[in-house]
Amino acid sequence: MSDLKLGFPGNEKNENFETPDNVAPPWDATTKFSVMGKPHPRLEAEDKVTGRAKYSYDIRFPDLIYAKMLRSPHASARVKSIDISKAKALPGVLYSEARQGLTVRYAGQGVAGIAAETEEILDDALALIEVEYEVLPCAVTVEDAMAPGAPQVLNGPNVGGRPGRGKERVDAVHKDADIVVEAEYRTQVQTHSCFETHGCVCKFDDDGSLTVWASTQSTFFTKTAIARAARVRPENVTVITEHMGGGFGSKFGADDWDRFCVLAARATKRPCRYLLDRRAEHLIAGNRPDSIQKCRFSANKNGTLMGAWVESWGTAGVGRGAGVQNPTIYRFRAAGSEQKDVRTHAGRGRAFRAPRHPQGVFALEGMIDEVAFALGMDPLALRQKNDAHPVRSAQWPVGQKAIGWRKTPRGNGAVKIGYGCAGSRWGHNARPGDAVRCRIGKDGSVLFANGSQDLGTGTRTLIAILGAEELGVPLSFVDVRLGHTTDPYGHASGGSVTAPSIAPVVKQAAWLAKRELLEHIAKKIGGDPKKMELTDGDVLGGKKKITFKQACALLPVDSIDVTGDSRNVFRVPRFSREVAGVQFARVAVDTETGLVKVQKIVSVQDCGQIVNELTVRSQMLGGVIQGLSYALFENRLLDRNTGDMVNADLLNYKIAGARDMPEIETIPFNVAQGGTTAGVSSLGEPATVPTAGAIANAVSHAIDARVRSLPITPDKVLAALGAL
Amino acid sequence: MADDKIRVSRRDILRGAGAAAILGTALPASAKEAAAKAPAGLTRHGPGAVPVSIGLNGKAAKVMVEPRVTLLDALRDRLDLTGAKRICDRGACGGCTVWVNGKTVNSCTMLAIDAAGADVRTVEGLAQNGKLHAVQAAFVEHDALQCGFCTSGMVMSCAALLKNNPKPTLDEIKAGIAGNLCRCGTYGHIFNAVQEASR
Ligand code: FES
Ligand code: FES
């Protein structure tokens, strides 16, 4: 029986744990790391700063052709006829498709497609297609789609969702409470705006096998989906994603345009590329659904939160999934929600970095502030009183200190300075199923291989660090191959599962390879392999000390090649049930112009066992910046009459730029988390959850009036001040 | 309407930009006739591909492109330099930033024929003799990139900034890359990298 020490300084606990014989011993709070936890530049950084890195968008062949679809400008219509003959007659047009009789349900839906020799011919050909539409009434807002007599978007009612449970109990608690606060919060639709748009390059070889370079968060889902679309056996399809330019939850599997691309490649026997243009990316490639959240919260005078009931409506366009994570985080006597999911004539919502959370937390944290002000309590104190999470409880004071928390706003004259905070919760989300290959060559080379993808989160480097740590060699010895489906299975990168899931498997693969290496070496140099160890590139504990490279040279075989999998590495006690985070904001609001300038954000984020301090900070930074962009700027604007998006570019769809940047202090909070032998946690999504809520609370604090709608634009600030 | 054809397309903007050239493209016949009757004093390019010579990363390069092809598309699709990216296709994001005669240009908003005779430098030509430019090295060190899709453009803008202003303040750095967007949110690390490179 060995002890496992979990937690963080000031809150540690011991768990009994016995490591099975065939499993790498888990890391815990007592582990002395040599590679892990330090800042390491990413492995592919040099390729990215020199332009050498090839994204799917960059894959070229001398005989490459280009595909693109003609997209409906109408949100609701029937295609009466398509005349594609002129386009087909254009020299250089190689393949086409016309979707006669199609019913259009959102602007941007594909009506016809062309593949051609060059992008210029493609544009000319698309302009020559003639489509006659019967334009039908559309509804693109929640209110319009719920109105009596609203056009039906798909079969079945426009309004769906989960019926709420427990409202009677919450109502009863409200009755007993000292105060009840009611308010309505709203959030907008945000598009993912991946900088590398969705799409792929498809190439058939003479033997009928297919290679797809896809911009995807799941090489393996894409492989299955493309194989089905092209009617090719999955074993004859290889998907490659060496580098990809952002996904944020919108890039799982193959889409309509990928199918068109692969069919064009097959028909023409030419490699074909289809990556969406910016407008299509906005319209059809995913978005975060909007929300209307009617909240009723209650509390007692002593600061005990009592009841919370939320009724919400939102739209994920023609899709479903418009719920919100509200109420959550804090301890209520009774809480619940009823969430309605309303279909509209608009592009389908997709998972977007922490689906449901930022919008829910914005409303939740606004309500907590409103309760605090109604009670005359410090909003931070109210949170701390009602937050039971062991990690978040330790984080609140850290953030408080870093931001210089103040109960009263500052500023005289027109510019007011306010402070706000918000919390987050997320699952640890380590999932079994990954496998990792580790190969140690006689020449001293070390390779880890897995078929999943690096979205820019730093997965490739994370694998190298974990592998080097467990093997006991310097990071520079290790190479990683990622993003080829010919390598062992790796999960789709969604739900922030990648790091926590793959970490113990990398560790396991490295451990197995190390044991095998030491057994070979023990025979050569003498010693008990069970007592030998590899540390910092040296083999210790044998009859003599040799280096890792010398040891490899002694191998009686060309290489050691093992595959670690997820069996047994997940059965480790865990420190806390959820990933915790808090953020604090300080903003300056000009009460004459309504302009909000965020001055500083502090993010304190539970990272579990930190693998790479540098990329951890990058993830936290990115989470905050996307959250800021969501809080102040981003807004998909649809014309209510035509259903078309009026700002489908990057000029009028504003995302945060360099000059919008506040000072951002990232405070990674290391927790020896357990749960797996590696103890690594989810990070990418929780890092963006509280930002909008914290900023909104700071704005309301500064101006002593509440803005309950995102994005917080100057007109809304002035309206809240009664100046509009 | 094609992906690219709704409202004003990039190529429409370029056509209307008043360049002293008439572009021969696969336009409808009437437009072609108009183009054929170019007023005196104007050069007529096209229709069809025309040869364009540029200085590219210190070497002479020649490419055959239709006059309507942007510098960005010529670099990426004809000259195999895929570092510069087409992200917004509108001059809004800076992902396609290259240097033309030493000045930063959004190559999606410049026609290849307008770069004829110019000295064009792309991110692939920034490192000298296998040694990374100080900005590139600092980007690596400070993790000033995540997905890396904006990175080529960012690097070119930051390197140009330091060329003109070797010791920029934080505000000057922000202003210097105000035309470059990053979706992953790397700005903070970019600021650190530029400050390091300016030391
Ligand atoms: S692609 Fe040229 S500025 Fe965005
Ligand atoms: S690093 Fe992904 S867009 Fe900048």
Side-chain angles (χ1 to χ4, degrees):
Chain A
M1 200 58 80
S2 73
D3 248 2
L4 207 57
K5 190 178 244 182
L6 301 178
F8 54 93
N11 192 346
E12 279 173 338
K13 66 178 181 191
N14 289 315
E15 296 273 356
N16 285 332
F17 181 72
E18 191 159 8
T19 313
D21 281 348
N22 55 354
V23 173
W27 290 323
D28 73 356
T30 64
T31 310
K32 297 265 174 292
F33 293 109
S34 23
V35 191
M36 291 259 292
K38 301 186 172 63
H40 299 286
R42 53 187 88 205
L43 263 46
E44 70 281 11
E46 193 168 318
D47 288 341
K48 286 181 174 174
V49 299
T50 54
R52 274 202 306 268
K54 293 285 179 200
Y55 296 75
S56 302
Y57 170 58
D58 300 329
I59 300 298
R60 301 203 34 77
F61 299 96
D63 55 344
L64 183 70
I65 65 169
Y66 302 82
K68 195 171 186 175
M69 294 175 104
L70 184 73
R71 305 199 166 277
S72 169
H74 307 293
S76 175
R78 232 183 318 274
V79 172
K80 284 166 72 181
S81 69
I82 303 175
D83 183 354
I84 201 165
S85 56
K86 286 193 198 114
K88 278 165 91 169
L90 198 67
V93 170
L94 303 170
Y95 179 78
S96 67
E97 179 187 319
R99 297 180 175 169
Q100 304 282 3
L102 181 81
T103 304
V104 172
R105 315 218 187 244
Y106 52 93
Q109 199 172 333
V111 172
I114 299 278
E117 292 280 357
T118 67
E119 283 200 283
E120 290 75 38
I121 298 173
L122 197 51
D123 282 348
D124 292 339
L126 288 163
L128 290 172
I129 301 176
E130 281 158 23
V131 186
E132 204 185 330
Y133 295 96
E134 179 193 345
V135 180
L136 304 170
C138 68
V140 295
T141 66
V142 164
E143 287 92 340
D144 286 354
M146 290 179 68
Q152 200 177 336
V153 176
L154 294 176
N155 292 334
N158 288 349
V159 183
R162 290 184 258 172
R165 264 184 296 161
K167 179 145 194 307
E168 298 72 26
R169 212 173 106 64
V170 176
D171 282 341
V173 169
H174 280 335
K175 272 213 192 74
D176 288 345
D178 293 335
I179 60 143
V180 178
V181 177
E182 260 184 81
E184 182 185 299
Y185 284 76
R186 286 180 178 243
T187 63
Q188 78 282 36
V189 173
Q190 175 190 29
T191 71
H192 294 71
S193 295
C194 307
F195 271 17
E196 182 183 34
T197 57
H198 287 61
C200 63
V201 174
C202 299
K203 183 177 189 294
F204 282 90
D205 280 329
D206 293 340
D207 63 359
S209 65
L210 168 63
T211 308
V212 181
W213 289 263
S215 185
T216 183
Q217 295 175 240
S218 176
T219 50
F220 288 97
F221 288 0
T222 302
K223 174 174 152 149
T224 319
I226 288 269
R228 200 178 307 134
R231 299 225 182 82
V232 181
R233 296 158 72 93
E235 56 269 32
N236 291 337
V237 180
T238 305
V239 174
I240 300 176
T241 308
E242 282 276 352
H243 305 287
M244 64 94 77
F248 312 112
S250 66
K251 287 183 178 167
F252 299 106
D255 283 295
D256 184 37
W257 48 89
D258 300 309
R259 289 185 197 100
F260 181 71
C261 185
V262 75
L263 294 181
R266 194 179 57 187
T268 57
K269 299 193 168 53
R270 301 265 300 265
C272 183
R273 184 183 96 182
Y274 189 0
L275 280 110
L276 296 183
D277 67 10
R278 181 54 51 194
R279 180 176 163 78
E281 183 74 12
H282 275 302
L283 281 168
I284 60 170
N287 55 70
R288 184 190 297 283
D290 59 5
S291 74
I292 302 169
Q293 303 174 54
K294 282 204 165 114
C295 309
R296 212 170 127 84
F297 283 28
S298 60
N300 280 349
K301 286 211 180 82
N302 64 4
T304 308
L305 290 175
M306 295 295 283
W309 185 257
V310 176
E311 202 176 350
S312 78
W313 298 262
T315 182
V318 293
R320 293 280 196 216
V324 295
Q325 194 71 19
N326 180 18
T328 180
I329 301 181
Y330 303 103
R331 255 181 328 189
F332 293 93
R333 192 75 44 93
S337 67
E338 173 153 322
Q339 311 208 352
K340 308 226 173 57
D341 202 333
V342 185
R343 278 202 188 108
T344 54
H345 288 106
R348 193 179 295 272
R350 294 186 176 190
F352 194 156
R353 200 170 189 172
R356 306 157 63 95
H357 282 250
Q359 55 268 56
V361 165
F362 158 68
L364 166 81
E365 294 287 14
M367 286 301 291
I368 298 289
D369 264 26
E370 299 206 46
V371 168
F373 294 134
L375 292 170
M377 231 180 129
D378 174 33
L380 178 56
L382 177 66
R383 285 176 171 82
Q384 288 177 286
K385 186 174 164 73
N386 293 281
D387 189 350
H389 195 285
V391 177
R392 217 171 20 246
S393 300
Q395 290 171 333
W396 290 117
V398 175
Q400 174 182 23
K401 185 150 174 266
I403 199 79
W405 180 255
R406 284 171 60 103
K407 273 184 233 168
T408 44
R410 284 194 290 130
N412 28 37
V415 178
K416 308 284 184 209
I417 310 239
Y419 296 76
C421 63
S424 72
R425 52 174 283 237
W426 194 256
H428 287 290
N429 293 358
R431 302 216 177 119
D434 282 342
V436 171
R437 208 181 124 197
C438 175
R439 183 188 175 282
I440 299 178
K442 213 175 159 63
D443 58 359
S445 64
V446 179
L447 177 76
F448 289 89
N450 172 267
S452 75
Q453 54 288 315
D454 188 336
L455 314 189
T457 48
T459 309
R460 188 180 276 108
T461 316
L462 172 126
I463 291 174
I465 292 168
L466 289 156
E469 182 68 49
E470 181 61 41
L471 265 185
V473 299
L475 184 56
S476 58
F477 287 17
V478 177
D479 231 336
V480 176
R481 187 173 62 222
L482 207 58
H484 294 247
T485 53
T486 43
D487 284 322
Y489 184 80
H491 285 301
S493 297
S496 300
V497 305
T498 304
S501 306
I502 208 165
V505 181
V506 175
K507 179 170 160 63
Q508 183 69 10
W511 183 78
L512 290 171
K514 178 171 70 177
R515 294 326 313 169
E516 199 175 319
L517 176 71
L518 292 175
E519 264 161 40
H520 283 301
I521 300 315
K523 286 194 199 113
K524 298 275 182 184
I525 64 168
D528 177 359
K530 292 216 164 55
K531 297 210 176 99
M532 288 162 65
E533 252 314 321
L534 248 169
T535 310
D536 295 332
D538 290 321
V539 178
L540 304 177
K543 287 260 158 66
K544 62 176 181 181
K545 182 177 144 185
I546 59 170
T547 67
F548 174 73
K549 301 263 180 191
Q550 289 167 337
C552 294
L554 290 176
L555 277 176
V557 287
D558 177 56
S559 66
I560 292 171
D561 206 329
V562 299
T563 300
D565 60 39
S566 61
R567 278 172 298 171
N568 304 318
V569 300
F570 284 75
R571 297 213 190 102
V572 178
R574 185 177 276 300
F575 177 70
S576 62
R577 291 237 321 273
E578 292 177 336
V579 177
V582 303
Q583 289 185 19
F584 286 72
R586 185 179 79 225
V587 307
V589 185
D590 187 321
T591 52
E592 282 173 0
T593 62
L595 209 66
V596 174
K597 183 88 192 154
V598 181
Q599 294 186 328
K600 179 167 180 170
I601 303 267
V602 173
S603 167
V604 190
Q605 183 62 47
D606 176 356
C607 303
Q609 182 59 59
I610 294 174
V611 180
N612 183 356
E613 197 210 298
L614 198 53
T615 50
V616 155
R617 286 190 193 276
S618 281
Q619 281 292 291
M620 291 173 66
L621 190 65
V624 166
I625 292 173
Q626 277 190 353
L628 181 149
S629 194
Y630 177 60
L632 298 184
F633 307 123
E634 296 185 40
N635 195 2
R636 183 193 71 180
L637 294 170
L638 298 183
D639 184 310
R640 267 181 77 192
N641 294 314
T642 67
D644 200 3
M645 182 170 170
V646 300
N647 58 342
D649 51 47
L650 289 176
L651 280 171
N652 300 296
Y653 185 92
K654 157 95 174 143
I655 70 169
R659 279 199 280 208
D660 305 312
M661 286 305 108
E663 177 192 350
I664 299 172
E665 186 174 345
T666 52
I667 305 178
F669 200 91
N670 191 89
V671 180
Q673 188 52 256
T676 71
T677 54
V680 174
S681 282
S682 294
L683 174 61
E685 285 168 293
T688 199
V689 171
T691 317
I695 291 174
N697 283 345
V699 169
S700 301
H701 183 234
I703 63 174
D704 196 20
R706 195 145 286 271
V707 180
R708 299 190 182 87
S709 160
L710 297 183
I712 304 172
T713 45
D715 56 315
K716 290 180 189 166
V717 171
L718 293 179
L721 285 167
L724 267 191
Chain B
M1 243 172 268
D3 291 358
D4 207 357
K5 284 281 168 180
I6 302 177
R7 309 222 161 66
V8 187
S9 86
R10 170 176 53 101
R11 289 172 184 89
D12 290 339
I13 294 173
L14 293 173
R15 276 184 205 121
I22 304 290
L23 309 181
T25 68
L27 290 170
S30 55
K32 268 194 193 156
E33 271 162 35
K37 288 188 213 119
L42 293 186
T43 322
R44 181 169 171 280
H45 297 281
V50 296
V52 177
S53 300
I54 51 175
L56 188 53
N57 295 330
K59 293 199 193 92
K62 201 167 182 178
V63 60
M64 291 290 293
V65 288
E66 283 185 42
R68 60 173 156 168
V69 170
T70 61
L71 175 60
L72 175 65
D73 289 356
L75 291 170
R76 291 185 49 84
D77 294 345
R78 275 87 174 177
L79 293 161
D80 215 28
L81 291 173
T82 55
K85 305 286 189 261
R86 186 162 77 196
I87 298 172
C88 72
D89 207 11
R90 285 289 188 288
C93 76
C96 60
T97 305
V98 299
W99 297 350
V100 176
N101 294 332
K103 285 213 169 78
T104 53
V105 161
N106 287 332
S107 61
C108 73
T109 62
M110 182 180 205
L111 292 173
I113 54 169
D114 283 336
D119 172 30
V120 176
R121 189 161 298 269
T122 71
V123 70
E124 289 92 342
L126 193 61
Q128 293 296 314
N129 309 320
K131 194 169 174 290
L132 294 183
H133 184 283
V135 161
Q136 290 173 311
F139 263 58
V140 171
E141 206 53 40
H142 289 269
D143 204 40
L145 53 120
Q146 291 181 36
C147 81
F149 211 68
C150 69
T151 306
S152 301
M154 284 286 185
V155 163
M156 292 308 280
S157 290
C158 293
L161 167 70
L162 290 185
K163 208 165 47 159
N164 300 325
N165 180 1
K167 298 264 172 245
T169 63
L170 180 58
D171 279 340
E172 286 167 346
I173 295 173
K174 289 181 181 180
I177 59 166
N180 290 74
L181 294 174
C182 171
R183 185 47 162 167
C184 299
T186 55
Y187 302 112
H189 285 181
I190 292 174
F191 304 155
N192 295 348
V194 175
Q195 277 164 337
E196 155 111 25
S198 73
R199 267 178 217 128

PDB file of all heavy atoms in Angstrom, chain B residues 35 37 44 60 72 75 99 122 142 149-150 184 186:
ATOM      1  N   ALA B  35     -13.331  46.829 -72.292  1.00  0.00           N
ATOM      2  CA  ALA B  35     -11.930  46.743 -71.924  1.00  0.00           C
ATOM      3  C   ALA B  35     -11.035  46.885 -73.156  1.00  0.00           C
ATOM      4  O   ALA B  35      -9.975  47.507 -73.094  1.00  0.00           O
ATOM      5  CB  ALA B  35     -11.663  45.419 -71.224  1.00  0.00           C
ATOM      6  N   LYS B  37     -11.523  48.580 -75.691  1.00  0.00           N
ATOM      7  CA  LYS B  37     -11.432  49.978 -76.136  1.00  0.00           C
ATOM      8  C   LYS B  37     -10.812  50.833 -75.037  1.00  0.00           C
ATOM      9  O   LYS B  37     -11.402  51.811 -74.581  1.00  0.00           O
ATOM     10  CB  LYS B  37     -12.846  50.493 -76.460  1.00  0.00           C
ATOM     11  CG  LYS B  37     -13.419  49.892 -77.743  1.00  0.00           C
ATOM     12  CD  LYS B  37     -14.726  50.592 -78.094  1.00  0.00           C
ATOM     13  CE  LYS B  37     -15.694  49.628 -78.775  1.00  0.00           C
ATOM     14  NZ  LYS B  37     -16.950  49.452 -78.031  1.00  0.00           N
ATOM     15  N   ARG B  44      -3.133  48.199 -71.336  1.00  0.00           N
ATOM     16  CA  ARG B  44      -4.158  47.177 -71.252  1.00  0.00           C
ATOM     17  C   ARG B  44      -3.481  45.849 -70.922  1.00  0.00           C
ATOM     18  O   ARG B  44      -2.549  45.430 -71.591  1.00  0.00           O
ATOM     19  CB  ARG B  44      -4.889  47.095 -72.584  1.00  0.00           C
ATOM     20  CG  ARG B  44      -5.987  46.092 -72.614  1.00  0.00           C
ATOM     21  CD  ARG B  44      -6.804  46.308 -73.887  1.00  0.00           C
ATOM     22  NE  ARG B  44      -7.747  45.226 -74.058  1.00  0.00           N
ATOM     23  CZ  ARG B  44      -7.427  44.043 -74.556  1.00  0.00           C
ATOM     24  NH1 ARG B  44      -6.204  43.795 -74.962  1.00  0.00           N
ATOM     25  NH2 ARG B  44      -8.349  43.109 -74.664  1.00  0.00           N
ATOM     26  N   ALA B  60      15.034  36.601 -58.424  1.00  0.00           N
ATOM     27  CA  ALA B  60      14.075  36.977 -59.461  1.00  0.00           C
ATOM     28  C   ALA B  60      13.061  35.853 -59.633  1.00  0.00           C
ATOM     29  O   ALA B  60      13.416  34.683 -59.639  1.00  0.00           O
ATOM     30  CB  ALA B  60      14.805  37.230 -60.768  1.00  0.00           C
ATOM     31  N   LEU B  72      -1.347  37.931 -53.231  1.00  0.00           N
ATOM     32  CA  LEU B  72      -1.452  36.809 -52.301  1.00  0.00           C
ATOM     33  C   LEU B  72      -1.700  35.491 -53.048  1.00  0.00           C
ATOM     34  O   LEU B  72      -1.027  34.486 -52.802  1.00  0.00           O
ATOM     35  CB  LEU B  72      -2.600  37.060 -51.305  1.00  0.00           C
ATOM     36  CG  LEU B  72      -2.901  35.899 -50.350  1.00  0.00           C
ATOM     37  CD1 LEU B  72      -1.720  35.639 -49.414  1.00  0.00           C
ATOM     38  CD2 LEU B  72      -4.160  36.184 -49.528  1.00  0.00           C
ATOM     39  N   LEU B  75       1.345  34.345 -54.954  1.00  0.00           N
ATOM     40  CA  LEU B  75       2.363  33.765 -54.071  1.00  0.00           C
ATOM     41  C   LEU B  75       1.967  32.349 -53.643  1.00  0.00           C
ATOM     42  O   LEU B  75       2.764  31.420 -53.727  1.00  0.00           O
ATOM     43  CB  LEU B  75       2.535  34.624 -52.812  1.00  0.00           C
ATOM     44  CG  LEU B  75       3.180  36.004 -52.999  1.00  0.00           C
ATOM     45  CD1 LEU B  75       3.058  36.810 -51.712  1.00  0.00           C
ATOM     46  CD2 LEU B  75       4.642  35.863 -53.411  1.00  0.00           C
ATOM     47  N   TRP B  99       6.078  42.167 -47.329  1.00  0.00           N
ATOM     48  CA  TRP B  99       6.702  43.479 -47.569  1.00  0.00           C
ATOM     49  C   TRP B  99       6.840  43.686 -49.064  1.00  0.00           C
ATOM     50  O   TRP B  99       7.329  42.803 -49.783  1.00  0.00           O
ATOM     51  CB  TRP B  99       8.112  43.552 -46.952  1.00  0.00           C
ATOM     52  CG  TRP B  99       8.155  43.408 -45.464  1.00  0.00           C
ATOM     53  CD1 TRP B  99       7.106  43.408 -44.591  1.00  0.00           C
ATOM     54  CD2 TRP B  99       9.334  43.227 -44.671  1.00  0.00           C
ATOM     55  NE1 TRP B  99       7.543  43.245 -43.300  1.00  0.00           N
ATOM     56  CE2 TRP B  99       8.919  43.124 -43.321  1.00  0.00           C
ATOM     57  CE3 TRP B  99      10.697  43.151 -44.958  1.00  0.00           C
ATOM     58  CZ2 TRP B  99       9.822  42.938 -42.269  1.00  0.00           C
ATOM     59  CZ3 TRP B  99      11.600  42.970 -43.920  1.00  0.00           C
ATOM     60  CH2 TRP B  99      11.161  42.861 -42.586  1.00  0.00           C
ATOM     61  N   THR B 122       8.514  37.715 -48.248  1.00  0.00           N
ATOM     62  CA  THR B 122       7.488  36.981 -47.510  1.00  0.00           C
ATOM     63  C   THR B 122       8.113  36.404 -46.254  1.00  0.00           C
ATOM     64  O   THR B 122       9.333  36.437 -46.076  1.00  0.00           O
ATOM     65  CB  THR B 122       6.917  35.825 -48.347  1.00  0.00           C
ATOM     66  OG1 THR B 122       7.922  34.812 -48.461  1.00  0.00           O
ATOM     67  CG2 THR B 122       6.499  36.291 -49.733  1.00  0.00           C
ATOM     68  N   HIS B 142       8.562  33.035 -26.522  1.00  0.00           N
ATOM     69  CA  HIS B 142       7.451  33.539 -25.695  1.00  0.00           C
ATOM     70  C   HIS B 142       6.109  32.902 -26.044  1.00  0.00           C
ATOM     71  O   HIS B 142       5.080  33.329 -25.559  1.00  0.00           O
ATOM     72  CB  HIS B 142       7.364  35.063 -25.809  1.00  0.00           C
ATOM     73  CG  HIS B 142       8.487  35.764 -25.124  1.00  0.00           C
ATOM     74  ND1 HIS B 142       8.422  36.175 -23.814  1.00  0.00           N
ATOM     75  CD2 HIS B 142       9.733  36.072 -25.545  1.00  0.00           C
ATOM     76  CE1 HIS B 142       9.572  36.729 -23.467  1.00  0.00           C
ATOM     77  NE2 HIS B 142      10.389  36.679 -24.501  1.00  0.00           N
ATOM     78  N   PHE B 149      -2.041  30.432 -37.310  1.00  0.00           N
ATOM     79  CA  PHE B 149      -2.530  30.814 -38.641  1.00  0.00           C
ATOM     80  C   PHE B 149      -2.327  32.306 -38.907  1.00  0.00           C
ATOM     81  O   PHE B 149      -2.148  32.715 -40.040  1.00  0.00           O
ATOM     82  CB  PHE B 149      -4.003  30.425 -38.787  1.00  0.00           C
ATOM     83  CG  PHE B 149      -4.382  30.070 -40.187  1.00  0.00           C
ATOM     84  CD1 PHE B 149      -3.872  28.921 -40.787  1.00  0.00           C
ATOM     85  CD2 PHE B 149      -5.239  30.873 -40.923  1.00  0.00           C
ATOM     86  CE1 PHE B 149      -4.210  28.590 -42.093  1.00  0.00           C
ATOM     87  CE2 PHE B 149      -5.574  30.543 -42.232  1.00  0.00           C
ATOM     88  CZ  PHE B 149      -5.075  29.401 -42.814  1.00  0.00           C
ATOM     89  N   CYS B 150      -2.343  33.108 -37.858  1.00  0.00           N
ATOM     90  CA  CYS B 150      -2.101  34.546 -38.028  1.00  0.00           C
ATOM     91  C   CYS B 150      -0.623  34.873 -37.954  1.00  0.00           C
ATOM     92  O   CYS B 150      -0.227  36.009 -38.171  1.00  0.00           O
ATOM     93  CB  CYS B 150      -2.825  35.326 -36.922  1.00  0.00           C
ATOM     94  SG  CYS B 150      -2.078  35.064 -35.286  1.00  0.00           S
ATOM     95  N   CYS B 184      -6.958  33.265 -31.779  1.00  0.00           N
ATOM     96  CA  CYS B 184      -6.655  32.451 -30.600  1.00  0.00           C
ATOM     97  C   CYS B 184      -6.367  33.312 -29.376  1.00  0.00           C
ATOM     98  O   CYS B 184      -6.358  32.817 -28.255  1.00  0.00           O
ATOM     99  CB  CYS B 184      -5.469  31.541 -30.870  1.00  0.00           C
ATOM    100  SG  CYS B 184      -5.756  30.388 -32.214  1.00  0.00           S
ATOM    101  N   THR B 186      -3.445  35.639 -28.828  1.00  0.00           N
ATOM    102  CA  THR B 186      -2.037  35.535 -28.434  1.00  0.00           C
ATOM    103  C   THR B 186      -1.421  36.900 -28.151  1.00  0.00           C
ATOM    104  O   THR B 186      -0.233  36.974 -27.841  1.00  0.00           O
ATOM    105  CB  THR B 186      -1.212  34.897 -29.566  1.00  0.00           C
ATOM    106  OG1 THR B 186      -1.425  35.650 -30.759  1.00  0.00           O
ATOM    107  CG2 THR B 186      -1.623  33.466 -29.817  1.00  0.00           C
TER     108      THR B 186
END
